[in-house]
């Protein structure tokens, strides 16, 4: 199997989807001839023409409004928002329109074909406006699906599944891993299931849960904890909405302990939702309080980014705290 | 007030029938176009403008080189657009508000932001007014009436309308200018801003730097129209298009615009036609989307050379002065950079200050927990750890006294 990075995996997924189905279109700021500022859409315009892969004017609400209309008409748009930090001008189109098309019309109309791709997350010295993780804002919106891959293999399989899913999907790409994460990826078409978490490592003492770029960090923390003799079960949630409660609950029923991590601020972060659900379902089995390792309740900083971000040491300490409670 | 004229045939007005001329004064060899008159600038102001243009160019070149050497995480140049930015800023009152996009360091420089102040922000050190929270080039100065830059594009444009409305109510005779690119002018915020300004008769100047590209997107893929200027008609606003590489035209147009906004509360749109000679940012490589030939053709229209030629014709400047200025600026920039680089980062506590006017109990708790954690693993967080370790702080103090 060829070894490629996450951007190449995303590019392959888009290429396959466009080759297979003429209704698939890719567009957004700088997406056309240049192939996107991260080059995720490289060569697609060359291959499929300017009508199916193009630059849009610089207007996010326009991009998503346009995509909503296109999808309602039966096309399969894959719209790119250049950075997740700049998705907010399109917030109204996403939460009031994309998410509610099917529901409000009794399925007379829907925008199920729509996929919105956007790079998210920190660790790239991007400061305040190139580092945010906005998944929780959208997780409060029924009707959307929210997917986050952790490596190139997952990115390709989950993106193909998202494009072909009958519901609109927000696909958050961990930009820190775009080039840093490399791995074996089959050249052919394959899909990974949405709304299914994956147990990436089995263990018996504690469950450690995350998504996207945090998975790499979790693995490092778990390695440290295992040296102390703690057996960790690791879960990649993969889909934030609708999320796979059963896999997480089953794991916690077994281990009795849970650590959840994400880069976004703690208050209102998605870890809060998971922890509420798990304590409802597993209360009598819990050996210690559910731990959250998150960003601070502040905007994202630049110079002190390392201090701000949840890293392997913070997760390791949370595992220890849960074990020694 | 809509027009009352009626027609009784479906006679469409076509968008491409509108054409806006370009105001220009100065030829590339520094002489005036026939029929053009130079604005009444005076030697002192002309030299202040030119010095600022050269200083901006020198800063940009040195900082781009520093970024390439890995000393700086990111940088954005103003190269090619100095006349548009500095010429317009010079036509304002120093107390007028500037709300810029990010490529307008020249305007801030004109107001007197020092090289030290630029460097402190670029290196995000303890003296950065923004406390190392934003990427390089996100400057701001309350003293110089320059709103701190925010990365999300076009958000400053409706804010400028609001700010200027406040100035009108305050009756202080000042106005606001807001800068943006032709790309940012596609955002909804731009349209909202112009409409509100026209409806509420707000003393605001909308200054579009039409530099041909928004990252890789050429302006022909940004809009089908003849630039950004014709949009003013839709809002019933005054508008002028100027040659953005012609500092005299830009200055004169902005001076007149200021009169319109301050004396008559008529908002104005200025579209300066120019070219982004450099890459979009230090993360961009323009060879992937435009030709060397195209860039070279614009290099021939360099706004600095054009102004220098004019100054020489006036007898206000010569080669020797040029060389001396360049040399001294280069030295100043390099020395200041070395100093700023060595300064420590903002204090660890700045992670949680200024989120609210007061640090909340929850934030204080989070900071305390973080400090505990860093005490446990000081090597993993060298920047934060120095604030918990007095010996490191003493070392900083020694370095300071040792002199940079
Ligand atoms: C809302 C928003 N969307 C996207 C971006 C990413 N971005 C930064 S600069 C830029 C291009 C801006 O072009 P233009 O306004 O023409 O100004 P120029 O860079 O040419 O000076 C883009 C797309 C952003 N900062 N904010």
């Amino acid at each position: 199997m060829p070894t490629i990075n996450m951007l190449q995996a995303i590019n392959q997924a888009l290429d396959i989807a466009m080759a297979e189905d003429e209704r698939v279109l890719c567009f957004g700021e700088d997406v056309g001839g240049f192939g996107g500022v991260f080059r995720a859409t490289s060569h697609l315009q060359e291959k499929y023409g300017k009508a199916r892969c193009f630059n849009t004017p610089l207007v996010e609400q326009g991009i998503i409004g346009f995509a909503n209309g296109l999808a309602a008409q039966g096309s399969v748009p894959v719209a790119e928002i250049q950075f997740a930090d700049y998705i907010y001008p399109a917030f109204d189109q996403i939460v009031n329109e994309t998410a509610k098309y099917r529901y409000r019309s009794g399925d007379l109309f829907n925008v199920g074909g729509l996929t919105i791709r956007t790079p998210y997350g920190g660790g790239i010295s991007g400061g305040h406006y190139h580092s945010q993780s906005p998944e929780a804002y959208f997780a409060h919106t029924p009707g959307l699906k929210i997917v986050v891959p952790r490596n190139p293999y997952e990115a390709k399989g989950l993106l193909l599944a998202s494009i072909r899913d009958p519901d609109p999907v927000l696909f958050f790409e961990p930009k820190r891993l775009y080039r840093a994460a490399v791995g074996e990826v089959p050249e052919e078409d394959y899909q990974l299931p949405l709304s299914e978490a994956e147990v990436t490592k089995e263990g018996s003492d504690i469950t450690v849960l995350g998504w996207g770029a945090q998975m790499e960090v979790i693995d490092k923390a778990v390695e440290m904890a295992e040296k102390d003799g703690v057996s960790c079960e690791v879960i990649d949630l993969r889909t934030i909405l609708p999320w796979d409660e059963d896999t997480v609950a089953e794991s916690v029923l077994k281990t009795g302990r849970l650590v959840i991590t994400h880069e976004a601020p703690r208050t209102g972060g998605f870890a809060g939702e998971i922890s509420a659900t798990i304590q409802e379902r597993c209360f009598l089995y819990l050996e210690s309080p559910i731990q959250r390792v998150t960003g601070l309740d502040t905007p994202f900083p630049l110079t002190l980014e390392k201090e701000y971000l949840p890293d392997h040491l913070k997760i390791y300490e949370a595992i220890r705290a849960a074990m020694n409670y | 007030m809509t027009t009352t004229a009626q027609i009784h045939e479906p006679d469409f007005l076509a968008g491409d029938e509108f054409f806006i001329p370009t105001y220009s004064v100065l030829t590339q060899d520094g002489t005036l176009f026939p029929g053009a008159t130079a604005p009444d600038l005076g030697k002192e102001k002309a030299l202040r403008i030119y010095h600022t243009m050269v200083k901006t160019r020198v800063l940009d070149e040195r900082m781009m080189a520093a970024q390439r050497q890995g000393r700086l995480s990111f940088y954005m140049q103003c190269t090619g657009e100095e006349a548009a930015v500095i010429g317009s800023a010079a036509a304002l009152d120093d107390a007028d508000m500037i709300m810029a996009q990010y490529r307008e360091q020249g305007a801030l420089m004109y107001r007197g932001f020092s090289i030290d102040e630029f460097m402190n922000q670029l290196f995000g050190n303890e003296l950065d007014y923004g406390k190392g929270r934003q990427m390089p080039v996100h400057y701001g100065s309350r003293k110089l009436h320059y709103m701190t830059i925010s990365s999300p594009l076009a958000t400053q444009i409706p804010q400028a309308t609001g700010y200027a409305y406040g100035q009108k109510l305050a009756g202080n005779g000042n106005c606001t200018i807001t800068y943006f690119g032709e790309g940012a002018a596609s955002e909804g915020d731009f349209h909202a801003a112009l409409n509100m300004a026209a409806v509420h008769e707000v003393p605001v100047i909308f200054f579009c730097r039409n530099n041909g590209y928004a990252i890789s997107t050429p302006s022909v893929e940004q809009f089908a129209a003849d630039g950004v200027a014709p949009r003013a008609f839709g809002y019933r606003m005054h508008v002028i298009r100027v040659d953005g590489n012609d500092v005299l035209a830009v200055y004169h147009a902005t001076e007149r615009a200021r009169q319109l906004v301050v004396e008559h509360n008529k908002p104005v749109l200025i579209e300066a036609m120019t070219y982004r000679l450099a890459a979009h940012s230090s993360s961009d490589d323009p060879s992937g989307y435009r030709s060397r030939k195209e860039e070279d053709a614009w290099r021939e229209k360099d706004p600095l050379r054009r102004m220098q030629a004019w100054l020489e014709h006036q007898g206000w400047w010569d080669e020797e002065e040029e060389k001396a200025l360049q040399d001294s600026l280069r030295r100043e920039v390099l020395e200041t950079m070395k100093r700023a680089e060595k300064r420590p980062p903002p204090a660890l506590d700045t992670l949680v200050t200024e989120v609210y006017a007061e640090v909340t109990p929850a934030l204080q708790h989070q900071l305390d927990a973080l400090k505990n954690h860093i005490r446990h693993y000081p090597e993993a967080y060298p920047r934060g750890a120095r604030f918990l370790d007095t010996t490191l702080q003493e070392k900083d103090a020694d370095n300071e006294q040792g002199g940079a």
Side-chain angles (χ1 to χ4, degrees):
Chain A
M1 247 190 282
T3 298
I4 57 174
N5 68 28
M6 190 181 282
L7 281 167
Q8 292 165 320
I10 289 164
N11 187 254
Q12 271 189 18
L14 295 171
D15 195 352
I16 288 171
M18 290 182 90
E20 172 208 65
D21 183 348
E22 281 203 346
R23 297 173 310 152
V24 179
L25 299 98
C26 292
F27 51 85
E29 292 156 17
D30 301 292
V31 160
F34 188 53
V37 291
F38 291 104
R39 316 314 292 266
T41 54
S42 286
H43 306 300
L44 297 177
Q45 188 176 75
E46 261 161 68
K47 273 187 156 164
Y48 302 104
K50 280 191 165 176
R52 290 180 60 201
C53 176
F54 51 90
N55 288 335
T56 63
L58 212 171
V59 53
E60 292 77 12
Q61 66 183 105
I63 293 168
I64 303 303
F66 179 91
N68 278 335
L70 249 176
Q73 170 274 342
S75 294
V76 183
V78 185
E80 178 180 297
I81 297 295
Q82 201 162 76
F83 286 90
D85 311 69
Y86 306 131
I87 205 166
Y88 301 114
F91 201 70
D92 185 38
Q93 282 290 340
I94 297 170
V95 304
N96 273 333
E97 306 302 318
T98 307
K100 291 157 190 162
Y101 241 91
R102 191 190 299 280
Y103 183 78
R104 70 170 180 230
S105 71
D107 209 12
L108 284 182
F109 299 98
N110 72 75
V111 295
L114 174 58
T115 303
I116 302 170
R117 297 179 33 247
T118 189
Y120 86 97
I124 54 136
S125 293
H128 209 25
Y129 290 115
H130 292 84
S131 305
Q132 297 174 72
S133 299
E135 68 271 12
Y137 290 112
F138 297 100
H140 197 54
T141 308
L144 297 176
K145 288 186 177 171
I146 303 173
V147 178
V148 193
R150 72 171 181 276
N151 63 29
Y153 175 80
E154 293 277 310
K156 180 171 172 183
L158 288 171
L159 181 54
L160 278 165
S162 299
I163 293 170
R164 292 160 182 164
D165 193 81
D167 291 309
V169 177
L170 261 171
F171 195 80
F172 286 109
E173 299 167 2
K175 67 172 106 57
R176 183 168 68 74
L177 302 186
Y178 265 162
R179 291 193 175 84
V182 288
E184 292 194 339
V185 177
E187 274 177 85
E188 63 273 10
D189 191 342
Y190 65 93
Q191 281 179 220
L192 296 172
L194 303 190
S195 286
E196 273 184 34
E198 187 188 7
V199 177
T200 59
K201 186 187 161 311
E202 292 195 20
S204 54
D205 295 333
I206 185 165
T207 304
V208 187
L209 168 71
W211 50 85
Q214 280 305 96
M215 296 314 298
E216 209 189 28
V217 184
I218 288 175
D219 288 345
K220 259 173 107 176
V222 162
E223 218 172 277
M224 289 173 74
E226 302 238 303
K227 284 201 185 114
D228 300 343
V230 181
S231 164
C232 302
E233 180 139 308
V234 178
I235 299 182
D236 175 4
L237 196 59
R238 299 205 285 193
T239 300
I240 308 290
L241 191 74
W243 66 286
D244 181 358
E245 293 180 24
D246 290 347
T247 298
V248 183
E250 248 166 62
S251 171
V252 177
L253 289 176
K254 180 175 74 176
T255 63
R257 296 181 183 87
L258 177 61
V259 172
I260 311 164
T261 99
H262 57 63
E263 292 184 21
R266 165 167 310 216
T267 301
F270 201 65
E273 182 60 38
I274 297 170
S275 96
T277 303
I278 293 305
Q279 71 84 25
E280 277 167 12
R281 290 185 56 164
C282 310
F283 185 66
L284 291 175
Y285 292 79
L286 286 172
E287 305 276 351
S288 65
I290 297 169
Q291 305 277 322
R292 286 179 289 167
V293 187
T294 67
L296 302 177
D297 279 340
T298 73
F300 203 102
L302 175 72
T303 310
L304 297 172
E305 175 175 34
K306 205 165 168 25
E307 284 69 16
Y308 176 90
L309 276 175
D311 62 1
H312 64 288
L313 296 173
K314 293 176 184 171
I315 298 168
Y316 170 67
E317 286 298 321
I319 294 172
R320 279 175 30 125
M323 292 307 301
N324 300 330
Y325 183 74
Chain B
M1 270 192 296
T2 40
T3 162
T4 50
Q6 289 193 5
I7 56 171
H8 304 289
E9 289 291 325
D11 191 9
F12 294 92
L13 300 175
D16 58 11
E17 283 167 16
F18 291 96
F19 172 77
I20 297 189
T22 303
Y23 170 56
S24 57
V25 174
L26 202 54
T27 68
Q28 190 60 28
D29 63 21
T31 56
L32 301 193
F33 279 106
T37 43
D40 183 16
L41 202 56
K43 179 176 174 185
E44 196 189 331
K45 194 168 214 176
L47 287 178
R48 178 171 164 200
I49 293 173
Y50 184 66
H51 279 204
T52 309
M53 287 167 71
V54 176
K55 198 166 170 182
T56 302
R57 179 77 56 100
V58 169
L59 179 72
D60 282 356
E61 283 170 1
R62 300 313 312 170
M63 297 329 285
M64 199 64 179
Q67 199 281 333
R68 294 280 176 257
Q69 296 164 350
R71 295 164 76 177
L72 196 63
S73 60
F74 178 83
Y75 196 72
M76 287 179 116
Q77 292 172 263
C78 167
T79 304
E81 300 175 59
E82 294 93 342
V85 171
I86 298 160
S88 52
L92 304 173
D93 185 281
D94 276 350
D96 289 341
M97 189 65 193
I98 296 178
M99 291 189 153
Q101 178 159 309
Y102 49 56
R103 209 184 288 288
E104 294 88 355
Q105 52 265 47
L108 186 56
M109 180 94 79
Y110 185 83
R111 288 268 168 102
F113 208 61
S114 70
I115 299 285
D116 263 307
E117 290 175 297
F118 278 106
M119 292 294 173
N120 293 335
Q121 198 287 327
L122 291 170
F123 287 99
N125 66 28
E126 60 176 352
L127 296 180
D128 169 21
Y129 301 134
K131 307 198 175 155
R133 290 166 180 158
Q134 295 210 76
M135 284 170 80
V137 313
H138 288 62
Y139 313 109
S141 170
R142 177 139 203 127
K143 193 176 84 195
L144 300 176
H145 308 279
Y146 194 95
M147 183 64 72
T148 300
I149 305 297
S150 167
S151 310
L153 287 166
T155 48
Q156 80 281 11
I157 313 174
Q159 292 170 23
T161 301
Y163 200 98
Y165 188 68
Q167 289 171 312
K168 175 174 146 177
L169 294 186
N172 56 20
N174 281 115
C175 65
T176 297
I177 189 168
T178 178
Y179 292 94
F180 47 89
E182 84 290 345
S186 291
E187 293 280 3
D189 276 354
F190 165 86
H191 300 274
L194 267 66
N195 195 28
M196 289 188 77
V199 168
H200 294 288
E201 303 187 330
V202 176
V204 54
I205 300 172
F206 300 101
F207 194 101
C208 177
R209 300 178 287 97
N210 185 341
N211 63 10
Y213 286 86
I215 309 188
S216 74
T217 304
S219 58
V220 292
E221 292 179 35
Q222 193 65 244
F223 38 68
D226 169 33
V228 171
R231 294 179 203 171
F233 298 148
Y235 297 110
R236 217 156 188 273
M237 259 174 58
H238 282 68
V239 60
I240 189 167
R241 169 175 289 155
V242 298
D243 177 345
N245 288 20
D246 175 345
V247 73
L248 297 185
V250 173
Y251 179 87
H252 202 195
T254 312
E255 191 182 42
R256 287 288 181 81
R258 190 175 187 281
Q259 261 170 6
L260 277 168
V261 307
V262 172
E263 290 169 22
H264 307 283
N265 287 314
K266 292 199 178 307
V268 177
L269 173 63
I270 299 177
E271 182 177 29
M273 308 308 288
T274 177
Y275 190 81
R276 196 195 73 210
L277 266 182
H280 167 69
S281 73
S282 54
S283 315
D284 173 50
D285 174 12
S287 69
Y289 54 84
R290 69 187 189 191
S291 70
R292 194 63 210 223
K293 212 174 122 205
E294 177 187 303
E295 287 176 26
D296 285 345
W298 276 93
R299 218 160 260 124
E300 296 296 310
K301 301 182 194 170
D302 190 324
L304 266 66
R305 292 220 314 262
R306 197 183 301 186
M307 186 174 192
Q308 190 190 350
W310 179 71
L311 289 173
E312 284 174 3
H313 285 304
Q314 303 294 108
W316 292 346
W317 196 245
D318 61 32
E319 272 304 319
E320 229 168 274
E321 285 169 301
E322 176 78 20
K323 199 181 164 312
L325 177 67
Q326 298 256 9
D327 288 349
S328 84
L329 286 174
R330 259 192 213 110
R331 226 173 307 118
E332 184 187 352
V333 167
L334 282 177
E335 279 163 16
T336 315
M337 170 157 61
K338 279 189 206 145
R339 238 186 351 256
E341 248 176 336
K342 282 204 200 119
R343 279 201 178 278
L348 187 59
D349 287 24
T350 63
L351 265 176
V352 301
T353 56
E354 289 133 13
V355 181
Y356 301 100
E358 304 278 350
V359 175
T360 62
L363 282 177
Q364 189 58 50
H365 176 77
Q366 292 182 10
L367 179 66
D368 293 343
L370 176 63
K371 283 181 177 170
N372 266 338
H373 178 75
I374 294 176
R375 272 190 203 100
H376 228 84
Y377 299 99
E379 317 79 44
Y381 310 92
R383 291 186 175 190
R386 73 190 320 139
F387 292 100
L388 303 175
D389 179 342
T390 42
T391 53
L392 281 172
Q393 284 169 26
E394 276 159 22
K395 249 194 225 158
D396 283 345
D398 285 351
N399 276 342
E400 282 274 295
Q401 275 147 28

